[in-house]
Amino acid sequence: VGIPVKLHWSFGLILFYVLYIGNSESLNLEQTVWFAGYVVALFFCVLLHEYGHALMARRYGVKTIDIILSPIGGLARLERIPKKPSQELAVAIAGPLVNVAIALVLTAIMLLLFDIDTLLRDPLDLTNLSDLKVFGTATIGINIVLFLFNLIPAFPMDGGRILRALLAIKLSRVQATRVASYIGQFLAACFIALALYQGLPSWGLIGLFVMYTARNEYRSVLREETLNNTALQSIVKQDYELLPSTASVLEALTTAEKHQSTRIVIDTAGSPYDLKITTIKYLRTIIVADSDLSLSQISAESLPTLAANTSIAQAVRSMHKTGTEVIAVIKNGQQLLGVVDRDILSSYL
Ligand SMILES: [Zn+2]
């Protein structure tokens, strides 16, 4: 369906895991191969789960960059997360629902092939996965586990996103993320406490990971929101001198030195509004040769403009696209409010 699937390098570790389990459970070669087959089936279900997210996202016009499979699970990397709560909800829930669907279909098949008593009789263990009944039942089981695990309401599980989307119906996106993040951190704290109490260090690490991810999700949404809601007019700098192109280089240098500015913005008096920019450093080098030059005679870079109400996020995108280092922020078409350069913008990223 046109979405590249990538295996994380650490995916190879699974082979060692299979061999390790085979050894510690003293499985013979055939049993080990069947166990490997079961692990493959498990990751195939994880992959279908990720396709659930990806295909639902596509319905809302959101592309999926790729699906990455790693030993700790899958990740469908979406180009962006749909902002509408109902759409985020649908995308988040589509994955777990795929696992429900797989479990239901497999259950139906198993019930057609075997009667329910034989299905429940055989013990579910690694040594008899070669038995189709056991393999099938175990695969149904793992899909139920995947479904329940992903519904835990904490980032990075799908449940965290589902919770955020539900909260976002009533709250703003930032508020919803904050509440969802607190709930996730609270659950992680409970999990860590339980792990300590039970003496399970690896569970403790999972708890720490969930806590970290929950905190991060809130921070990144907050940052994203700041970038989208802060207009350029509130971050402009006035560390320049605005001069008409008829002014002389000498005049420009004197004014700049008086105010300790490093840049000169030249108004060419063109229509539409046309600005150029140059640095004091450059003017110092040319004045040595000829002190009578006017600003219109020197080579200056043209200065692109953006409207004062442009958001930081939009400005970053537009500067990236055009490869400009500095832009003028203007109000009402031709009132210069100040300049913004890459350094200022990157301090917000
Ligand atoms: Zn998922």
Side-chain angles (χ1 to χ4, degrees), residues 109-153:
I109 293 173
M110 297 296 279
L111 287 176
L112 282 175
L113 293 176
F114 309 100
D115 66 81
I116 195 153
D117 291 335
T118 41
L119 280 179
L120 295 175
R121 199 181 325 122
D122 279 305
L124 269 183
D125 72 54
L126 297 180
T127 55
N128 53 2
L129 281 170
S130 60
D131 184 339
L132 185 60
K133 292 195 288 293
V134 175
F135 196 101
T137 318
T139 309
I140 293 169
I142 199 68
N143 275 286
I144 295 171
V145 170
L146 282 174
F147 171 70
L148 294 175
F149 174 77
N150 275 297
L151 284 190
I152 296 171

Side-chain angles (χ1 to χ4, degrees), residues 236-243 252-253 255-257 259-266 276-283 295 303 319 325-327 338-344:
V236 289
K237 288 259 165 101
Q238 265 109 27
D239 60 344
Y240 61 88
E241 298 299 328
L242 178 64
L243 289 161
L253 274 177
T255 348
E257 265 154 26
H259 302 127
Q260 292 182 325
S261 314
T262 55
R263 292 188 275 227
I264 302 283
V265 173
I266 307 162
K276 290 191 182 325
I277 191 164
T278 188
T279 60
I280 300 304
K281 228 168 117 188
Y282 176 68
L283 291 186
L295 291 175
L303 180 62
M319 286 176 82
E325 291 295 327
V326 53
I327 46 156
V339 294
V340 169
D341 59 24
R342 280 196 186 216
D343 289 343
I344 303 172

Side-chain angles (χ1 to χ4, degrees), residues 87-105:
Q87 297 185 349
E88 183 180 22
L89 181 67
V91 171
I93 214 163
L97 286 183
V98 168
N99 296 112
V100 174
I102 296 172
L104 288 176
V105 169

